[in-house]
Amino acid sequence: MEETWRWFGPLDDIRLEEIRQTGATGIVTALHEIPYGEAWPEDAIRARQAMIEAAGLRWSVVESLPVHEDVKRGTGDLPRIFANYRESLRNLGRCGISTVCYNFMPVLDWTRTDLAYRMKTGALALRFDAVRQAAFDVLMLQRLGAEADHRPDVLAAAREWFAQSTETDRDTLLSSIMAGLPGAFDRYDVPGLRQMLESYAGIDAAALKANLARFLREVVPAAEEAGIAMCMHPDDPPRPILGLPRIVSNRQDLADLVAMVPSRSNGITFCTGSLGAGVANDLPAMAREFAPHVAFLHLRNVTKEPDGSFHEADHLGGDVDMPAVIAAFLDEEKRRGEEIPFRPDHGHVLLSDAGRKTHPGYTLVGRLRGLAELRGVIAGLRHRAPV
């Protein structure tokens, strides 16, 4: 497997020289400075690529070539947006970059309520707390009909939390939820988020899937011509959030995705953390079933709780059987005769990570520990005795 590392560009507090010392050889990044819906110029791609190569690394995966909200809503000047996306794919292909990760989550990317959940070891992790999410949805956002989306016991606890919370607590909760938009231009206050949610009124899961299918029909042929594998990232968490539909959350959703436009250029980013937060998701089974469609791997772990809460566990801890998942993709690599890029996804705040201005989850030492653990699993599985 190709070891890669997510880097947020020249403004990232973690330098390329540090990343090279982790042992990773591939960089996962994007041109975050270009607004959503605009084309990525070839010269800008090559300039960033040259910067990466000067550090002894290669630009292995684009994450992300964002999908404009108008595409998800099915509104606006879609012909121009589709044309710009196709141009970006062609320009990336001319630069020899052949894997593009993206997602189709409306408004928000990954959602967490706590960016500094203290583990027993003293490390800090990301956490999704069902009670605080309900407090935000029902009592801060005051979304119409929100009560129906939360369990009665969770709602009761949410009201208690809100009654005892300070303005600082509520501001921290909002900023934590907004932190799941790494590299994005938009950050919302409560009125702004409420307005964005209203723009999705009447768009249910079926309508969102129809808009995804239209997007794929428009851009996958260009990806094929450019030699690019597009790979959809699953929803995080894999459930509706703030009344917004989520359509890449489980086995059936993945099957629907690859069936929309059958092509090697229409594939999956298999994220064990996102899919692992789904109670009904059997990740080893899903890995074996969808391995032929997977172009990129995000490897991390989660520990789930009965009320729907979860936190990001050690890479080899939590609920996901990581060795079984990795074994499925090592077998797929043998079948293909080529490596699948993976990255250690998210990491705890460990040791000298404290105080560094990194994106939440994208620490240096925490991810380095995860990479070392995953590297050990891969090495062990490669030397397993034949069955």
Side-chain angles (χ1 to χ4, degrees):
M1 288 183 174
E2 181 191 7
E3 297 180 2
T4 69
W5 189 278
R6 192 169 191 185
W7 179 62
F8 289 95
L11 298 181
D12 196 326
D13 190 67
I14 297 173
R15 304 185 308 277
L16 289 170
E17 292 76 13
E18 293 177 290
I19 296 171
R20 189 176 181 187
Q21 293 183 43
T22 70
T25 56
I27 290 294
V28 177
T29 193
L31 301 182
H32 295 293
E33 64 274 19
I34 297 179
Y36 292 9
E38 299 302 316
W40 288 13
E42 184 176 341
D43 59 352
I45 298 168
R46 291 194 183 279
R48 187 62 50 84
Q49 192 173 37
M51 183 184 301
I52 293 167
E53 291 175 352
L57 300 161
R58 81 179 192 101
W59 190 349
S60 177
V61 178
V62 168
E63 186 180 347
S64 158
L65 183 56
V67 179
H68 195 281
E69 293 297 322
D70 281 350
V71 174
K72 302 169 193 176
R73 290 184 294 241
T75 60
D77 188 2
L78 294 181
R80 184 187 72 84
I81 293 172
F82 290 143
N84 285 343
Y85 207 97
R86 289 191 291 265
E87 182 179 349
S88 297
L89 290 171
R90 294 186 183 107
N91 289 342
L92 287 165
R94 280 191 283 269
C95 295
I97 300 170
S98 59
T99 307
V100 172
C101 172
Y102 69 104
N103 75 68
F104 216 75
M105 289 179 268
V107 183
L108 299 174
D109 203 312
W110 55 264
T111 303
R112 301 291 184 272
T113 60
D114 189 344
L115 305 182
Y117 175 68
R118 190 164 294 279
M119 306 285 286
K120 291 180 180 179
T121 60
L124 302 180
L126 303 183
R127 173 175 168 81
F128 178 91
D129 187 283
V131 170
R132 294 189 186 188
Q133 179 69 15
F136 179 78
D137 193 12
V138 175
L139 301 168
M140 290 176 58
L141 195 59
Q142 298 181 351
R143 181 174 62 86
L144 186 64
E147 292 88 344
D149 291 343
H150 304 277
R151 291 173 18 173
D153 60 326
V154 170
L155 270 177
R159 296 186 192 282
E160 182 177 348
W161 178 87
F162 186 78
Q164 297 175 355
S165 66
T166 64
E167 184 175 350
T168 299
D169 293 333
R170 296 189 288 271
D171 288 345
T172 299
L173 178 56
L174 173 63
S175 63
S176 297
I177 291 172
M178 288 298 103
L181 293 168
F185 281 82
D186 293 327
R187 291 291 188 273
Y188 307 110
D189 56 13
V190 168
L193 180 56
R194 191 179 293 127
Q195 184 176 2
M196 274 299 299
L197 295 177
E198 289 171 355
S199 74
Y200 277 86
I203 299 178
D204 60 9
L208 189 61
K209 278 195 175 184
N211 291 339
L212 170 59
R214 178 182 180 184
F215 167 71
L216 293 174
R217 290 193 297 269
E218 290 281 352
V219 304
V220 166
E224 291 174 337
E225 294 169 8
I228 286 176
M230 292 181 61
C231 43
M232 169 81 81
H233 188 284
D235 303 326
D236 187 7
R239 67 189 74 163
I241 293 288
L242 305 179
L244 296 167
R246 293 292 180 93
I247 58 170
V248 191
S249 295
N250 53 44
R251 183 217 159 269
Q252 187 58 56
D253 288 340
L254 295 182
D256 291 345
L257 166 66
V258 297
M260 285 176 182
V261 179
S263 168
R264 188 182 183 281
S265 291
N266 175 30
I268 296 165
T269 296
F270 197 91
C271 179
T272 58
S274 300
L275 294 169
V279 175
N281 287 340
D282 180 341
L283 265 66
M286 292 168 71
R288 290 191 296 272
E289 178 177 0
F290 293 104
H293 304 283
V294 171
F296 185 33
L297 294 168
H298 288 182
L299 300 179
R300 62 179 171 85
N301 222 317
V302 294
T303 296
K304 300 185 287 294
E305 300 169 30
D307 69 354
S309 302
F310 62 87
H311 69 266
E312 299 190 359
D314 295 335
H315 283 73
L316 301 185
D319 302 330
V320 176
D321 185 345
M322 193 66 72
V325 171
I326 291 174
F329 290 110
L330 287 174
D331 289 343
E332 175 62 19
E333 283 190 332
K334 288 181 181 178
R335 187 191 69 81
R336 293 185 197 179
E338 62 183 26
E339 289 188 314
I340 300 173
F342 82 92
R343 66 174 178 85
D345 190 19
H346 296 183
H348 295 161
V349 175
L350 298 177
L351 305 174
S352 59
D353 288 330
R356 292 196 72 164
K357 296 180 180 179
T358 55
H359 291 275
Y362 291 96
T363 56
L364 177 60
V365 180
R367 282 189 289 168
L368 177 57
R369 174 185 170 177
L371 177 59
E373 293 176 344
L374 296 168
R375 183 182 291 151
V377 170
I378 292 167
L381 289 171
R382 281 180 171 154
H383 289 83
R384 59 189 163 173
V387 177

